Amino acid sequence: MTRLFGTDGVRGVANGLLTADLALRLSQSAAVVLGHRRAAAGRRPVAVVARDPRVSGEFISSAVEAGLASSGVDVYDAGVLPTPAAAFLVADIDADFGVMISASHNPAPDNGIKFLGRGGHKLDDSVEDEIEAQMGQAPVLPTGDQVGRIKRFSDAEDRYVVHLLQSLGEVSLKGLKIVLDCAHGAASGCSPEAFAAAGAEVIVIGADPDGLNINDDYGSTHLQNLQKAVISHAADLGIAHDGDADRCLAVDHTGEIIDGDQIMGVLALALKEAGGLNDDTLVVTVMSNLGLKLGMAKAGINLVETAVGDRYVLEGMRAGGFNLGGEQSGHVIFSDYATTGDGVLTGLQLAARVAATGRSLRELADESMTRLPQVLINVAGVDKARVKSHEVVQAAVAAVEARLGESGRVLLRPSGTEPVVRVMIEAETADLARAEAQALADVVKAELAL
């Protein structure tokens, strides 16, 4: 049987895989596993539910809340808010768990259901498996005064914005002109509010959600409108969120993109300077640019690498007691303030560094790292299971590594969902990276073809 949970909750086309019936049954199972089995004795379980603004979130959230309340869980409906806001609120009111209904950066027809455990933490695989197993059992359906209540979480956004502003300490963004691209998503209300309250002059684009336009030509996966707006408004920088605002990418005053690696570099240097970077260590995935590693080494900052996925970054951070980590895609986790990637928090911290230093974002990014050209080729139709053990392939990898030396890097990574091997090469020049990547991809294709 195919596992229902993917790498980030249960996700699919709304009314395709993700029906109201599935949402109801899934939430009834979560009520048992995350609520009744884990709640304090004698207390009714409490859950926070939030969603992004895509149209299907309306019926899915209704089904989720019905499932929870029918199973004896009190529900606080937080409305449209970012995923990290939902995580914060779970911890803030000491709820037993939370539910976020979103498909992140996916287009509007998709949606997803993500569960957060006590404290606002993502669930371990074993807990997700427990919820799936419970779906095969009869639901818990109390009657009378034992059923749950559904209440509007009236000050949910205010609590989250206050929390964000507290993370800035005494730093003001006064004097900065910032363009915010909210992807017509969950941050359309709270992100402009937070940046304005912090003192910035704010120009907002992509903040008119109609339920169907989420991530459509706006947000962190479509930066062209942000680049144009930063230049046309002569802004100091631009910040882009995705649909559920758990990630952040940026644009400098010239319109050049600042990716997640560069953002992490800037913030790691800021934390180290303030004495706040735990063990002088930054946690990244294997996809982070070699330039980040070289730049951090120069600054006396260690890098810990994990598998691709923000959940693995968070596991690495928790295991080592580190407080900063993230992905090139813009998921940045400040464990001092958040339990998951938070695009609004990241954007505020990045802007605060610009304000505090009086330097441009471009200068700060260049100081943190020099990004090496990176080429990625997806080789399809191959036996990905043999990529790490095939002698000819591994010999080809060794040969490329020898040619590149310390100024380059090779990464072969099998896809987790399809017969594809991802060939990634970093080198001193783009031409060299392309040539070596293509040569290695040709070997993979010839030797591992299905």
Side-chain angles (χ1 to χ4, degrees):
M1 180 178 177
T2 303
R3 189 173 189 267
L4 184 60
F5 283 88
T7 56
D8 203 20
V10 178
R11 189 177 295 186
V13 175
N15 266 348
L17 168 70
L18 194 55
T19 62
D21 177 63
L22 177 61
L24 179 77
R25 291 187 294 113
L26 193 60
S27 58
Q28 287 176 328
S29 297
V32 174
V33 174
L34 301 177
H36 298 296
R37 291 181 187 171
R38 288 169 169 78
R43 183 174 70 83
R44 181 180 293 166
V46 173
V48 174
V49 177
R51 64 180 180 89
D52 72 24
R54 66 190 75 216
V55 63
S56 61
E58 297 170 5
F59 80 77
I60 293 173
S61 64
S62 294
V64 166
E65 292 178 0
L68 296 177
S70 68
S71 296
V73 175
D74 283 339
V75 177
Y76 283 79
D77 182 348
V80 174
L81 278 179
T83 292
F88 164 74
L89 292 167
V90 169
D92 194 47
I93 68 168
D94 195 27
D96 295 284
F97 63 101
V99 188
M100 181 66 196
I101 298 154
S102 173
S104 188
H105 57 279
N106 285 25
D110 295 341
N111 216 323
I113 299 175
K114 182 189 308 182
F115 294 99
L116 301 159
R118 179 174 287 280
H121 295 284
K122 289 189 175 183
L123 304 184
D124 293 336
D125 288 348
S126 60
V127 180
E128 292 178 341
D129 291 340
E130 197 177 343
I131 293 172
E132 280 201 42
Q134 179 61 33
M135 291 178 71
Q137 308 298 316
V140 173
L141 298 175
T143 60
D145 63 359
Q146 297 304 302
V147 302
R149 306 295 297 269
I150 300 175
K151 305 174 184 177
R152 174 68 180 155
F153 200 155
S154 58
D155 64 341
E157 184 171 311
D158 291 340
R159 285 177 182 246
Y160 177 56
V161 171
V162 168
H163 161 68
L164 292 171
L165 295 174
Q166 288 175 339
S167 77
L168 295 175
E170 301 300 317
V171 178
S172 169
L173 304 187
K174 188 175 181 180
L176 290 184
K177 182 187 290 187
I178 300 172
V179 180
L180 296 178
D181 181 350
C182 299
H184 297 306
S188 295
C190 61
S191 185
E193 181 182 349
F195 276 86
E201 178 184 347
V202 179
I203 296 101
V204 184
I205 64 174
D208 297 303
D210 62 8
L212 301 172
N213 60 356
I214 190 168
N215 301 312
D216 187 7
D217 284 334
Y218 284 87
S220 60
T221 53
H222 304 280
L223 293 170
Q224 65 277 4
N225 286 311
L226 179 61
Q227 292 172 294
K228 292 175 184 176
V230 166
I231 294 171
S232 66
H233 289 281
D236 295 290
L237 68 150
I239 298 294
H241 305 306
D242 62 339
D244 70 336
D246 65 352
R247 70 170 71 179
C248 163
L249 292 181
V251 169
D252 70 16
H253 69 286
T254 71
E256 188 173 345
I257 294 171
I258 306 294
D259 70 10
D261 284 341
Q262 294 166 304
I263 291 171
M264 287 189 289
V266 171
L267 298 177
L269 291 180
L271 277 176
K272 186 176 189 299
E273 181 183 296
L277 185 63
N278 290 1
D279 291 333
D280 289 338
T281 298
L282 173 65
V283 181
V284 301
T285 77
V286 293
M287 291 301 292
S288 276
N289 194 274
L290 177 60
L292 177 60
K293 184 174 184 178
L294 298 176
M296 294 298 96
K298 183 179 178 181
I301 295 174
N302 303 310
L303 249 63
V304 170
E305 290 186 339
T306 74
V308 176
D310 61 324
R311 67 187 300 166
Y312 301 113
V313 172
L314 185 56
E315 286 175 7
M317 292 173 64
R318 294 173 71 178
F322 308 126
N323 62 339
L324 182 64
E327 296 188 281
Q328 192 180 74
S329 61
H331 286 107
V332 179
I333 303 170
F334 292 82
S335 62
D336 291 339
Y337 307 111
T339 58
T340 185
D342 189 328
V344 185
L345 174 66
T346 300
L348 285 169
Q349 293 293 325
L350 192 64
R353 181 61 171 170
V354 173
T357 61
R359 301 168 66 191
S360 71
L361 180 56
R362 177 77 269 148
E363 290 178 279
L364 294 171
D366 288 345
E367 177 191 42
S368 70
M369 65 175 284
T370 299
R371 195 176 190 282
L372 295 182
Q374 188 179 78
V375 173
L376 177 66
I377 297 178
N378 292 321
V379 184
V382 293
D383 183 359
K384 63 182 181 181
R386 293 195 296 148
V387 67
K388 293 183 179 180
S389 60
H390 195 283
E391 291 185 3
V392 175
V393 172
Q394 290 305 311
V397 169
V400 175
E401 288 176 335
R403 288 194 293 271
L404 295 177
E406 294 185 358
S407 61
R409 186 165 70 108
V410 181
L411 178 65
L412 259 64
R413 186 169 67 89
S415 167
T417 58
E418 54 189 332
V420 168
V421 171
R422 309 194 195 285
V423 179
M424 191 272 283
I425 300 287
E426 290 168 346
E428 290 181 314
T429 69
D431 287 344
L432 179 58
R434 278 192 294 269
E436 294 288 6
Q438 190 59 61
L440 187 53
D442 290 343
V443 173
V444 171
K445 183 67 175 178
E447 296 295 329
L448 300 180
L450 292 173

